[in-house]
Every structure is written in C-alpha cells, then in structure tokens.
Amino acid sequence: MKKSLYGFTALLLVFCAMSACNKFGDLPGSQNGKLQASAYKVDINQPDTLLLGSAKSTDTVKWNVIPSGFDSLITQNNKALVFFKKAGKYQVSATARGVTASTYITVSDSVYHPVITYNYLPLTGDQITLVPHFYNNPTADSSYLSFVAQTQKSYCGISRLVAADSLINNKYGINLLYIKQPAQCTIGQSPIATVINFMQNQPGLLPNGTFPLSVTLNGTTYTGSIVATSTTITFNWNYTTGVLIAPKQISR
C-alpha cells in the first residue's frame, strides 16, 4: 500500500491514462464524520475516489486499508484515490484529529476496462514551430525529412496534436488539424508536440534540389521551399508568426 504523497504525481498519470482522469473529490457532497467513496462496488483496477468529510483539505489524515497488500492508495490530505488488484471486500479507514471513519468497498472479479471519450479542439490562436530533422540510414539506402511540430499554447498533458502530411512529386505538404484531448483531464497543462515523417516509398533517397513546402494552419496556408544539397538542407521560410521553422538549416 502506498500512502506517500511523494509518488502521487507519477501514479496519477497512470490512473488518468486508464480512467480518463478520474478526479479527486468528484463526489456529490461531503458528510461530516463520514468517509465517502465515489463507488462502493468496483472492478479490479478501477480507480475509486475517497473523501473524509470530517477533515479539512489542510488536515493531516492517516489512511489504512484492511486487508492490505492488494491495493494502491494515493492520498492528498482528506482525499484519496484507490484501486485494488484482487477481488474481495476491503475496509478503508481514515483518521484525522483523533477521529476515525471507515467504509467498505467490494471488488468484483471483473477487470476494469475504461471507456475514454475525447474532445477535438481547434488550433485557433495557436502558433506551431516546426523543428526539422534529417534521417539517413546508409545500410537501408534510404533518407527522408521529418519535423517535430510543437504548439505554443498549453494543453492537457496527454493530448495529441493531429496533423496530416503528403509528399507527391517532391512537393511537401503539412495540414495541422486539431488537438485530440480526453474529455476529462486533470494532468497539468503544457505545450505538446507530434512527429511528422516524410517517408518516401522505401528504399528511397532525398535528392538534391529545391522542393515546395506548404503548411496549413487554421485555414491559412504558409508556403516556402526546401533546398537540399549534398551537405545541407535549407528552409526558405519567411514567416515570424503562425507557422515557424527553426532552425532554418540543418546538416545532411
């Protein structure tokens, strides 16, 4: 059983991926003197939220589970998140200010399979920076360009930047589409990125020459070119807002 707040953040990331970010405190209301659970019958590995109604969010609370050894308990003062690895009936108790409250949770022998729903957010007002890379595999006789596309705005930490790419007749195209974000999310906000690989029909080589590059963001298409030589790849890109490329030259 883990009672330490030290491991709270790392384990919460796991729970969010499993359960669309089940939140601490998602209970209809606290009852003084009661230990409440968001569910009193759960499946194996199903996160369950606990709230000690007689304690404040600043109180020190001691948590305990009987029988022990089959649970993971992440605590945050008067709140906790718990899941069980084995079917059975468990007593969860919490003590604050010398008063103990407890409740029972029954775990079925079914394994929890969460259904995660997503929101699709437009990239309105965002700015994307493309960081170019050149991949070269001499043993496979292949080489190609790739970009790491990073947002300027912050989104939920497990969101995805969705983009489409095309490479037809050495014309490079990128369409930056939207953000795919879990409908419920409590992970911290941060910029996110995705990798765009321009993989030609393998095996293939990036030839020397000048090639068109276009990137579409929020209905605006930005255009420039890629100049490939035997030693460098240079990006002719004259934009300072919307879609940026940095650096504008990389080694080949």
Side-chain angles (χ1 to χ4, degrees):
M1 179 178 66
K2 294 188 177 181
K3 303 178 183 177
S4 172
L5 186 58
Y6 177 80
F8 166 72
T9 302
L11 286 174
L12 183 57
L13 296 178
V14 176
F15 288 135
C16 287
M18 293 171 50
S19 63
C21 296
N22 191 346
K23 297 180 181 178
F24 276 115
D26 282 352
L27 299 174
S30 62
Q31 300 178 29
N32 287 336
K34 301 290 186 179
L35 179 58
Q36 295 176 265
S38 56
Y40 296 92
K41 184 174 181 180
V42 297
D43 296 333
I44 294 170
N45 290 333
Q46 179 179 348
D48 199 5
T49 300
L50 300 166
L51 175 65
L52 181 58
S54 60
K56 299 179 180 179
S57 60
T58 56
D59 286 344
T60 299
V61 179
K62 181 180 179 181
W63 294 83
N64 190 50
V65 178
I66 300 174
S68 63
F70 306 107
D71 64 279
S72 287
L73 183 68
I74 302 99
T75 67
Q76 190 180 55
N77 301 99
N78 65 335
K79 301 174 184 178
L81 193 64
V82 64
F83 75 93
F84 300 90
K85 299 183 284 290
K86 183 179 179 181
K89 187 173 183 179
Y90 297 84
Q91 181 185 37
V92 182
S93 61
T95 302
R97 301 182 181 181
V99 178
T100 299
S102 62
T103 191
Y104 289 90
I105 298 174
T106 301
V107 182
S108 74
D109 56 5
S110 299
V111 177
Y112 179 60
H113 296 289
V115 177
I116 301 176
T117 58
Y118 293 92
N119 291 327
Y120 298 89
L121 309 180
L123 289 160
T124 306
D126 208 339
Q127 178 170 279
I128 305 297
T129 298
L130 300 175
V131 181
H133 297 272
F134 176 66
Y135 174 83
N136 184 29
N137 186 351
T139 60
D141 195 26
S142 65
S143 60
Y144 59 86
L145 278 174
S146 69
F147 292 92
V148 176
Q150 181 168 313
T151 66
Q152 183 182 66
K153 292 174 64 175
S154 294
Y155 302 89
C156 170
I158 54 174
S159 299
R160 273 188 60 217
L161 169 59
V162 179
D165 62 84
S166 65
L167 177 54
I168 302 173
N169 297 326
N170 286 324
K171 295 180 179 179
Y172 290 78
I174 298 173
N175 192 357
L176 300 161
L177 298 172
Y178 52 81
I179 300 295
K180 183 179 180 180
Q181 179 172 286
Q184 296 183 27
C185 192
T186 57
I187 295 179
Q189 302 284 307
S190 63
I192 60 174
T194 192
V195 178
I196 302 168
N197 290 319
F198 284 101
M199 300 179 68
Q200 304 176 28
N201 294 329
Q202 301 298 325
L205 293 172
L206 175 67
N208 292 342
T210 300
F211 313 108
L213 170 63
S214 64
V215 183
T216 300
L217 172 66
N218 295 323
T220 299
T221 298
Y222 303 79
T223 59
S225 63
I226 303 168
V227 181
T229 70
S230 58
T231 57
T232 62
I233 300 172
T234 303
F235 300 89
N236 293 325
W237 198 257
N238 298 319
Y239 301 97
T240 57
T241 60
V243 177
L244 311 181
I245 296 179
K248 290 185 179 179
Q249 187 176 85
I250 58 176
S251 298
R252 182 167 183 172

